[in-house]
Amino acid sequence: MTAEMWDVSRLRFEETDPPALTAAQRTRMDHRWAAAVTANPTLFDGPVVALAGFERDGAGGLSVSWTRLTYRYRVLRGLPDAPAVAALFVAVLQPCDDGRLLVGRMSSTTSAPGRWQPPGGTLEPPGEGAALDLDVLRLHAARELAEETGSDTAADALVPGPVVLDDRGSLGFLFVAPPRPACELRERYAQLARDEIASGVDPEFDRVELIGSSSELRALPGPLASYLELAAGRFFGA
């Protein structure tokens, strides 16, 4: 599946019931999750927003159906006859004041070690009965930016950007942060990494880079998030 990117002017979210699993599917899911945790003990079966479906109306509108799951449901991917499980995520394009863009490399203890991507992550569900909306997305994006880079940008300073569909069918909502000086971005990340390592925690990004073009992005050592070239191309006006 090839990644796509769309401009969206209207968003609507609707919560739906989780997918029903047979006893056999649930057993296989639990066994696969146990094996994944054995291989990577940092994995946590926390609550997550899953994509149940979406529909575009051709005039800038996007309707999204979502449900509440936990991370273990992700191991259903690839199992025959299992329900499709995709994610909803946010990502932040963080520019510096010289026009470059910050990207980070996922550390070895994450679910995508070595992958370059913008700051961001899978959505956590709002409180029981609470609605999912653009404000929730924006708050989550600001939190991910702070947790991964140390840049404490206010949520209301993040500008909504395009929506991306990645190569696994997950739907991502991009935001653009206000520019910061390059030295500040590097110093904030370095301080965050020092603090987390000192507390015995591996930073989610083991390295950050400031890239000035799509060609610099492609030259990075390692895989890229499937939507990253599209997003960077838009950012750099390519």
Side-chain angles (χ1 to χ4, degrees):
M1 182 175 181
T2 303
E4 301 178 31
M5 185 168 64
W6 320 308
D7 290 314
V8 171
S9 55
R10 298 185 313 281
L11 270 174
R12 185 174 70 87
F13 294 93
E14 181 180 4
E15 185 173 2
T16 188
D17 293 332
L21 299 182
T22 66
Q25 288 169 341
R26 187 170 292 278
T27 297
R28 281 185 292 171
M29 177 182 70
D30 292 343
H31 287 168
R32 277 193 161 200
W33 176 254
V37 172
T38 298
N40 182 359
T42 64
L43 293 179
F44 170 63
D45 192 27
V48 67
V49 171
L51 175 65
F54 67 89
E55 183 176 356
R56 299 168 63 202
D57 67 10
L62 176 65
S63 298
V64 179
S65 297
W66 65 278
T67 190
R68 300 168 188 265
L69 296 180
T70 66
Y71 278 95
R72 73 172 55 220
Y73 278 79
R74 288 184 170 185
V75 301
L76 289 171
R77 290 170 172 167
L79 287 178
D81 303 321
V85 178
L88 287 179
F89 66 93
V90 291
V92 181
L93 303 181
Q94 174 63 71
C96 55
D97 53 9
D98 62 8
R100 289 180 292 171
L101 181 68
L102 183 145
V103 294
R105 187 176 67 183
M106 299 292 280
S107 72
S108 60
T109 56
T110 64
S111 60
R115 185 178 71 190
W116 292 91
Q117 62 182 56
T122 306
L123 280 171
E124 297 175 5
E128 196 66 39
L132 185 64
D133 57 23
L134 186 61
D135 288 339
V136 173
L137 300 183
R138 190 185 267 114
L139 285 167
H140 192 79
R143 185 168 72 248
E144 293 284 349
L145 179 64
E147 289 176 354
E148 294 181 352
T149 72
S151 291
D152 54 347
T153 300
D156 59 8
L158 299 179
V159 178
V163 175
V164 294
L165 182 69
D166 74 10
D167 60 349
R168 303 191 73 172
S170 293
L171 204 60
F173 299 86
L174 304 188
F175 293 87
V176 181
R180 291 181 180 266
C183 60
E184 179 184 319
L185 290 173
R186 292 191 182 280
E187 288 169 1
R188 284 175 177 256
Y189 166 73
Q191 184 61 57
L192 172 72
R194 285 194 296 269
D195 290 345
E196 292 193 331
I197 291 170
S199 65
V201 175
D202 288 331
E204 288 195 61
F205 288 156
D206 64 11
R207 175 179 165 188
V208 297
E209 291 292 343
L210 300 175
I211 57 166
S213 65
S214 293
S215 59
E216 287 184 16
L217 176 65
R218 291 189 290 270
L220 291 173
L224 307 177
S226 62
Y227 64 90
L228 183 51
E229 283 198 63
L230 288 175
R234 171 74 67 88
F235 178 82
F236 292 120

